[in-house]
Amino acid sequence: MKKLPLKWKLTILYTAFMTILTVLMLGVLLSLSSSEILSSVEKEMEERVFGVSEEIEWKGERLRLDSDFYEVKNGIYLSAYDEEGDLIGGRIPYEFTQDVPLEEGVHKLSFQGIQWEIRDAVFEIPGYGKVYVRGIISITDAEGSLQITVRLSLILFPLMVALAAVLGYFFVRRAFRPVSQITATAREIYEKGDLSKRIGLTGEKNEIYVMAETFDLMLDKLEVSFEKEKRFTSDASHELRTPVAVILSQCEYLLEDRELSGEERSAVEAIQRKAGNMSKMIAQLLFLSRADQSRQAVHKELLDLSLITEMAVEEQADMAQAKGIRIETDIQEGIEGYVDETLFIRLWMNLIGNGISYGREQGWLKVTLKETDGRLQGCVEDNGIGISKEQLPHIWERFYQADASRSGKENAGSGLGLPMVKWIVQAHGGDISVESAVGKGSRFCFSIPLRQM
Ligand code: ADP
């Protein structure tokens, strides 16, 4: 019962309740009708026995019995006996074979599967003496119609239970339809992260409707506050762009001054480096907030991806050389596919850049690219510091930096590169994965469909 869906549980409860109710009602009705039949039989027999007794007359040499003694009305047989118990006249049912002594009052007895009720009464007939009048009725026959009803009920009962179960399930399912709608909407919001979805329940304004309406109101509020937050990030990044650009250009201007002392020069260079980091971070923030607001454009065009990859590797060669890292490439030639050029370059720059930043000095970096089954498979592998198992699932989160102090990264990172990489891969309908071991190195591999426009 525990694992059954609520719909089934309610249906079973409802059916059980209906069954018990029907059984109780039938039981009460049948026992009431049975006692009603018995009491009416008794009453009628009493009336008939006493009624016919008034019609018995002594005609001098014989007793005259009324014709009622020979008529069977409503199953009641009447007969008359003298004081010795000898039959004077009247009728006895054919099945009433037992010799029952005469005794004033009502008696019940049963034999050969039939229940009988007997009413004996004694009357004084003027001029003759005592006469016994006996009324006999078969209770089994009198209750015959009731028996039919019982049998019919037994046949109809399972059908009624089945009908109650079917109707019960139908009503419960109907009542649960709005709940299914609420669940489906909540799941959609969870899976797609689309806060603009609403339940939008229509129909009867019952408690579930009010609950759904309240949910929708809550979603309205959540959407507004999320939008505000997204806008805040993008507004703040926009505002910061200009001052950082000014700092960078001023640094450049200062560094052009040949009369700067060594100390001053290194101070300005430090400012320039930090401002450069900030500018990169602002660009990444703007990118991600545009992506969140679905404003980040993806212009796919048919490109030579092998060539772009080689160019991206070339671009990072100086940085690798500075760390004594040897870049090995295994790039299949002439792979063409539909991608956004700027985004594709960004993807490589981030992965290769990380490989160098977190790579081992005098180590190596492998960049591979190949096409398999219409998909582009790209990998960047290094033999650097690696990432621990605990940190691995978090590296795709925004601002997450796995122990930055270990990296010895010249330009402090922001923790926004990999989230951006993931977004780019997903925007191309692909997926990305990572394998890593601390002290051994990391391997980032992505796969994107090539022919998807
Ligand atoms: P960051 O700007 O800090 O490099 P990323 O989002 O690119 O931000 O990376 C997040 C974190 O993942 C990094 O701080 C680093 O700890 C870890 N990481 C990324 N690439 C590598 C790699 N090739 N080797 C080891 N650690 C890596």
Side-chain angles (χ1 to χ4, degrees), residues 280 284 350-359 365 380-382 384-387 391 394-404 406-407 409 411-421 434 436 441-444:
K280 190 179 151 202
Q284 287 176 329
N350 270 285
L351 290 182
I352 299 172
N354 277 353
I356 296 169
S357 300
Y358 304 105
L365 188 83
V380 177
E381 191 178 347
D382 64 64
I385 59 168
I387 309 160
Q391 290 169 325
H394 302 291
I395 58 170
W396 308 105
E397 292 167 13
R398 290 179 192 183
F399 295 108
Y400 184 82
Q401 291 178 285
D403 195 3
R406 289 185 311 134
S407 68
K409 199 174 176 178
N411 298 324
S414 57
L416 292 172
L418 287 180
M420 207 166 73
V421 164
V434 57
S436 190
S442 314
R443 182 180 148 93
F444 286 82

Side-chain angles (χ1 to χ4, degrees), residues 250-270:
Q250 290 299 315
C251 286
E252 236 167 80
Y253 174 71
L254 278 173
L255 288 174
E256 275 169 18
D257 187 350
R258 289 172 196 278
E259 284 169 22
L260 233 50
S261 72
E263 221 170 277
E264 285 167 339
R265 186 168 289 277
S266 64
V268 175
E269 275 170 355

Side-chain angles (χ1 to χ4, degrees), residues 18-19 48 52-54 64 78 89 102 111 134 144 148 178 215 225 228 231 256 262-263 268 281 305 351 435:
M18 288 302 282
T19 309
R48 291 211 62 203
V52 289
S53 69
E54 286 166 15
R64 201 189 74 85
L78 296 168
L102 292 159
F111 52 86
R134 168 170 277 183
I148 293 172
F215 262 125
S225 62
K228 257 192 206 160
R231 224 174 308 127
E256 275 169 18
E263 221 170 277
V268 175
M281 194 197 264
L305 306 175
L351 290 182
E435 290 165 31

Side-chain angles (χ1 to χ4, degrees), residues 17 77 84 92 153 188 234 247 264 274 279 287 291 303 339 355 440:
F17 175 71
Y77 288 75
E84 275 72 46
I92 296 168
S153 307
E188 214 178 323
S234 84
I247 294 171
E264 285 167 339
K274 292 290 172 197
S279 160
F287 179 96
L303 298 168
V339 298
K440 286 194 177 148

